[in-house]
Amino acid sequence: MEILNAFFVSPFVDMAEYPVFFAEVVANGFLTGIMYSLVALGFVLIFKASETFNFAQGVMVLFAALTLVGLQERGVPTWLAIGITVGVMVLLAMAIEKVMLRPLVNQDPFILFMATIGLTFFLEGFGETLWGSNVKRLDVGIPERPLEVPLGGDFMLLNEFDLWAAGIGAVMVLGLALFFHRTTIGRALRAVADDHQAAMAVGISLRTIWVVVWSVSGVVALVAGIMWGAKSGVQFSLSLIALKALPVLILGGLTSVPGAIVGGLIIGIGEKIGEVYWGPLVGGAIENWFAYVLALIFLLFRPQGLFGERIIERV
Amino acid sequence: MKLKHIVTTGLSAAVVLTSLYAAQVAAQDEQFFPLLVYRTGPYAPNGIPAANGAVDYFKLINERDGGINGVKITWEECEFQYNTKQGVECYERLKNKGPTGATIVFPWSTGVTYQLIPKAAVDEIPLHSMGYGQTAAADGRVFKWAFNFPTTYWSQASALIRYVGAQEEGMENLAGKKIALVHHNSAYGKEPIPTLQVLSEKFGYDLTILAVDHPGQEQKATWLQIRRLKPDWIFMWGWGVMNQVAVKEAAAINFPMDHFIGVWWSGSEADVIPAGDAAIGYKAANFHGVGAGFAVHDDIVEHVYGGDAEAARANNLGEVLYNRGMTGSMFAVEAVRTAQAKYGNKSLTGAEARWGMENLDLTEERLAEIGLEGFTRPLKVSCEDHETMGPVFIQQWDGAKWNQVSEWIEPMRDVVRPMIEEAAAAFAAENNVTPRDCSMEG
């Protein structure tokens, strides 16, 4: 009875008794969720255009951040370093299209997936060879002061950096939505996502689309790299942030930009609530696997994810 | 036919000459050390300086002294990425190399140490988990082949409590204080928990334990709990990226950094530099000197880097983990030297090196002779005590470098040693180990 009370009653009583703290947990989860969405977006973009799960997305985040901070360390001003890094990510996209994607065109998506595993290890090693393995401090000038937000006679403590990250993430998502829906190349990209063969038949260049998508994905990786790299320093483990995007993808679906956003928010908020209110009951450190449990529960009801395309196959 | 004959004769001659050369090389006295390193992977920022320090000290001994009493040191690195499985593979790959096999193995990982303790006993190779690994290995009667001097996590935990007691102006003032332990959710991170729990009962402080999963890139939930708890002191048993994120998160909730103390694996330059000014005031424990101001560092610059101080600094000279790697090699060299006094100046076997470890008596004078005066405390290993329960000190980050801010703090031997003996006895019972009678040891 005591156990049932601890698991099913006490956490909710706690939330009700301390609503401001609960709001702070939710707010922090929301802000973290946007950061997860940023990483998940990169996966979604590439999957939409090529039906390939890009295993290298995490390491692209690392590579972009390493390049940026490496340039900064050599005295390049931040704005110029960001510009050059964007250029590097576009060049990388072009190289990937030419060396990896073009020879594998029309191959099974699983082959492409395997190729991205190879790309992961190449970029990992190449990045470390180029920029070294030491932890690097990344500072792009975003303030990191703690902010006291008044609420119900008390206050929530939020980090200014997290608010900036959320804002930049929101702008990024809006920009991508406009790009996909309002530009010719965005529409072409959606056509390729729907049917490669049909898109090619009407004159859409698959190669151009792939370069564009991998470039955009590289830019998203750079933004994610800046945000996460500023929090933890730029180092190898930055690539592991991709693991945090997986439950977001399971939840939101691999083909949906809104899914990546909403999925990120649900996972971010869900894991924080889970860790704070239920974690202590089982020894803590549950947020990593709790996110997957949450995603799997959703999967039971919607196998294609929250916003993923419904899978219909004729037999 | 003639050509075939010439080729066959030439190849035969080459094989004979190579064999002769190899035999000659093998005949030279050398002492082989396998080096398990992690220069790549998520923990590379910690692994690189440690490996550089370890290697540079061996190079120094070869270059400056011509080896250990004329016996050249050889070594081979094996990259294991701080992965337990790969670490064990490295051990297996290197344990039989060199003229007499591995001299001493440094696992550089608590997980690897746990795996190697039973293997090393069978292979008769001493393990040195310097300030990490299985704490119970301090009882040499049960753990004949494992050493963890100069001190362990349990001793360190008790020293931290003693330090906090001093800061609170008396151990009696610990009653009612809140202490939180933020730990890496691994065998390593959980090591101090029993000691802190026992001491919590003894001194009456409230202990809250908060685990952080590998790699620790996202810890917001942990720090929300800390903000709510409002602890008086936080201890951190972290590793890798977990440390850097934790330091930033502590600053983000306005926690006073001088009340935040890390284990000696949470107190390197890599742990604080990414946090920038937020890390100023953060503290950590340590058991060896900080900086490059010791005579041994001058010798390294001169003999290993040919006087190029810039190149030495680029290889992490004087950084906390560089000094730690160097300390490990120094202990190994001194243990071999001790064993040579008994077995002669030749390539020693693992069993002979183990004797050297167990009879190591590193005095203040000897430390001064090898350029490490004041760097670490003298120690005397024995059959019963493979730890020596050495003291620790507290260092603090000032935004540019670590500074020693406390005297050497003695661990609580009266509390920790009985716990070690109890844990060792439990291990012995579980693994059918008959404890040695130390009065019979030579």
Side-chain angles (χ1 to χ4, degrees):
Chain A
M1 198 60 190
E2 216 169 278
I3 291 177
L4 289 176
N5 184 55
F7 276 89
F8 298 108
V9 180
S10 295
F12 296 104
V13 172
D14 193 356
M15 290 174 203
E17 276 184 0
Y18 301 99
V20 177
F21 180 70
F22 177 65
E24 188 172 328
V25 173
V26 173
N28 276 287
F30 180 89
L31 297 173
T32 309
I34 291 180
M35 301 273 279
Y36 293 162
S37 301
L38 267 178
V39 185
L41 265 178
F43 284 99
V44 169
L45 289 173
I46 287 174
F47 193 87
K48 269 173 83 80
S50 57
E51 287 189 354
T52 302
F53 182 84
N54 179 21
F55 191 81
Q57 190 62 37
V59 91
M60 280 170 67
V61 172
L62 169 68
F63 187 78
L66 270 177
T67 307
L68 172 62
V69 81
L71 291 167
Q72 278 184 321
E73 281 180 350
R74 279 154 186 78
V76 180
T78 301
W79 63 269
L80 185 57
I82 291 175
I84 295 173
T85 308
V86 169
V88 169
M89 297 313 283
V90 171
L91 285 175
L92 180 69
M94 291 165 80
I96 289 169
E97 188 278 324
K98 187 160 187 182
V99 178
M100 195 180 91
L101 299 177
R102 206 183 296 177
L104 294 177
V105 72
N106 286 333
Q107 295 291 323
D108 190 280
F110 188 72
I111 306 287
L112 280 165
F113 170 67
M114 298 303 280
T116 65
I117 293 178
L119 178 65
T120 301
F121 288 102
F122 165 70
L123 281 181
E124 222 168 75
F126 185 59
E128 281 191 341
T129 306
L130 217 56
W131 304 112
S133 302
N134 289 327
V135 186
K136 294 167 177 62
R137 184 172 182 227
L138 178 57
D139 183 3
V140 286
I142 300 175
E144 298 186 47
R145 289 180 297 265
L147 289 179
E148 292 182 0
V149 181
L151 185 71
D154 202 346
F155 68 88
M156 290 195 302
L157 197 65
L158 299 176
N159 194 316
E160 201 176 342
F161 179 88
D162 292 338
L163 294 172
W164 272 93
I168 291 168
V171 169
M172 190 99 204
V173 170
L174 195 68
L176 284 173
L178 289 173
F179 174 74
F180 280 120
H181 290 92
R182 299 294 163 106
T183 65
T184 313
I185 202 134
R187 278 193 288 270
L189 195 148
R190 284 162 59 210
V192 169
D194 284 344
D195 190 328
H196 284 186
Q197 304 286 348
M200 286 167 77
V202 295
I204 295 171
S205 163
L206 205 55
R207 289 175 185 173
T208 310
I209 292 299
W210 276 347
V211 169
V212 169
V213 166
W214 279 78
S215 298
V216 173
S217 183
V219 173
V220 172
L222 172 61
V223 176
I226 291 172
M227 297 308 161
W228 284 101
K231 275 168 86 86
S232 63
V234 177
Q235 54 184 307
F236 178 92
S237 54
L238 201 57
S239 63
L240 301 178
I241 203 65
L243 296 176
K244 299 299 265 184
L246 293 184
V248 175
L249 294 169
I250 295 171
L251 188 66
L254 268 164
T255 54
S256 166
V257 171
I261 309 303
V262 178
L265 297 180
I266 293 174
I267 292 293
I269 295 170
E271 68 175 21
K272 297 293 169 273
I273 291 177
E275 181 70 53
V276 171
Y277 292 98
W278 281 273
L281 303 174
V282 291
I286 67 167
E287 70 179 313
N288 275 356
W289 59 263
F290 186 80
Y292 283 90
V293 172
L294 207 62
L296 288 171
I297 291 170
F298 271 86
L299 210 60
L300 284 178
F301 299 99
R302 279 190 66 84
Q304 70 275 36
L306 268 181
F307 297 94
E309 288 155 17
R310 199 177 185 88
I311 304 157
I312 302 168
E313 285 187 11
R314 294 184 195 283
V315 288
Chain B
M1 196 65 186
K2 198 178 175 185
L3 180 68
K4 190 180 172 187
H5 179 72
I6 291 168
V7 169
T8 312
T9 310
L11 281 175
S12 306
V15 167
V16 170
L17 285 173
T18 309
S19 309
L20 283 172
Y21 177 72
Q24 190 190 356
V25 168
Q28 285 175 354
D29 282 335
E30 61 179 58
Q31 204 63 55
F32 175 75
F33 290 90
L35 293 183
L36 276 61
V37 299
Y38 43 103
R39 292 181 183 275
T40 63
Y43 298 103
N46 302 86
I48 292 169
N52 286 346
V55 168
D56 280 0
Y57 193 80
F58 284 156
K59 283 182 182 170
L60 173 70
I61 298 299
N62 281 346
E63 295 298 320
R64 186 190 60 189
D65 308 339
I68 312 169
N69 292 321
V71 180
K72 283 271 182 186
I73 302 172
T74 57
W75 62 90
E76 184 175 326
E77 290 193 9
C78 182
E79 174 65 46
F80 77 106
Q81 298 201 329
Y82 200 69
N83 176 300
T84 300
K85 196 165 150 260
Q86 289 181 46
V88 175
E89 283 169 11
C90 281
Y91 167 83
E92 292 293 345
R93 197 184 311 155
L94 298 178
K95 69 181 183 187
N96 293 322
K97 287 216 168 179
T100 50
T103 312
I104 298 165
V105 170
F106 320 100
W108 284 113
S109 144
T110 292
V112 176
T113 309
Y114 270 82
Q115 294 294 316
L116 293 189
I117 281 175
K119 287 176 183 290
V122 174
D123 297 330
E124 300 203 335
I125 298 170
L127 292 179
H128 187 200
S129 54
M130 182 184 61
Y132 59 90
Q134 191 168 1
T135 301
D139 189 339
R141 294 169 303 178
V142 175
F143 295 88
K144 181 178 175 183
W145 295 91
F147 296 82
N148 49 16
F149 60 83
T151 182
T152 60
Y153 292 134
W154 293 4
S155 294
Q156 180 183 197
S158 72
L160 290 184
I161 292 297
R162 204 190 279 282
Y163 175 74
V164 168
Q167 296 293 300
E168 296 288 352
E169 295 171 353
M171 299 304 283
E172 66 282 2
N173 294 332
L174 286 178
K177 294 285 178 206
K178 290 184 200 167
I179 296 178
L181 170 70
V182 178
H183 73 88
H184 196 268
N185 197 22
S186 61
Y188 147 68
K190 291 174 184 168
E191 274 288 324
I193 293 174
T195 312
L196 291 174
Q197 283 172 332
V198 166
L199 293 174
S200 152
E201 282 171 26
K202 184 176 165 83
F203 295 110
Y205 60 81
D206 295 325
L207 177 68
T208 303
I209 296 162
L210 297 163
V212 173
D213 254 341
H214 163 85
Q217 200 120 32
E218 170 49 38
Q219 303 172 24
K220 200 63 103 181
T222 303
W223 290 91
L224 279 164
Q225 291 175 80
I226 286 177
R227 185 168 126 62
R228 186 187 211 192
L229 180 72
K230 295 186 175 61
D232 298 289
W233 292 86
I234 300 174
F235 296 159
M236 173 162 68
W237 244 255
W239 189 225
V241 69
M242 175 185 158
N243 294 336
Q244 295 110 41
V245 174
V247 169
K248 274 210 151 181
E249 291 289 358
I253 61 165
N254 287 329
F255 189 82
M257 296 306 278
D258 60 349
H259 280 50
F260 185 17
I261 310 175
V263 62
W264 46 59
W265 301 113
S266 300
S268 72
E269 286 75 5
D271 297 323
V272 284
I273 287 172
D277 289 348
I280 294 175
Y282 169 67
K283 293 174 175 172
N286 204 344
F287 56 82
H288 57 71
V290 290
F294 296 87
V296 71
H297 294 109
D298 297 337
D299 283 354
I300 287 175
V301 172
E302 184 186 337
H303 294 281
V304 179
Y305 292 94
D308 188 348
E310 195 53 47
R313 267 196 297 277
N315 260 6
N316 317 101
L317 182 90
E319 288 182 14
V320 170
L321 292 175
Y322 177 97
N323 284 358
R324 192 152 308 152
M326 194 185 78
T327 308
S329 293
M330 178 272 287
F331 283 139
V333 167
E334 293 306 307
V336 168
R337 216 184 288 278
T338 303
Q340 283 177 341
K342 179 176 182 179
Y343 299 105
N345 298 343
K346 60 182 179 73
S347 306
L348 301 178
T349 62
E352 290 165 341
R354 193 206 70 78
W355 187 91
M357 295 280 278
E358 198 159 273
N359 290 276
L360 180 62
D361 183 4
L362 202 54
T363 61
E364 203 120 30
E365 293 72 37
R366 180 62 192 153
L367 284 169
E369 276 169 25
I370 57 177
L372 290 167
E373 189 174 12
F375 182 82
T376 188
R377 302 302 299 151
L379 58 82
K380 191 173 187 330
V381 188
S382 68
C383 168
E384 290 91 355
D385 190 359
H386 281 191
E387 177 201 6
T388 74
M389 211 161 278
V392 302
F393 66 82
I394 302 297
Q395 60 184 25
Q396 188 170 33
W397 182 250
D398 68 4
K401 63 182 190 314
W402 288 102
N403 301 295
Q404 184 171 345
V405 293
S406 81
E407 297 299 315
W408 289 90
I409 307 160
E410 292 294 334
M412 299 177 193
R413 191 176 180 89
D414 57 324
V415 175
V416 177
R417 185 64 196 184
M419 288 175 66
I420 286 172
E421 289 181 7
E422 192 184 330
F427 177 89
E430 211 172 288
N431 295 278
N432 293 323
V433 176
T434 307
R436 288 187 292 162
D437 178 356
C438 284
S439 64
M440 305 296 284
E441 293 290 319

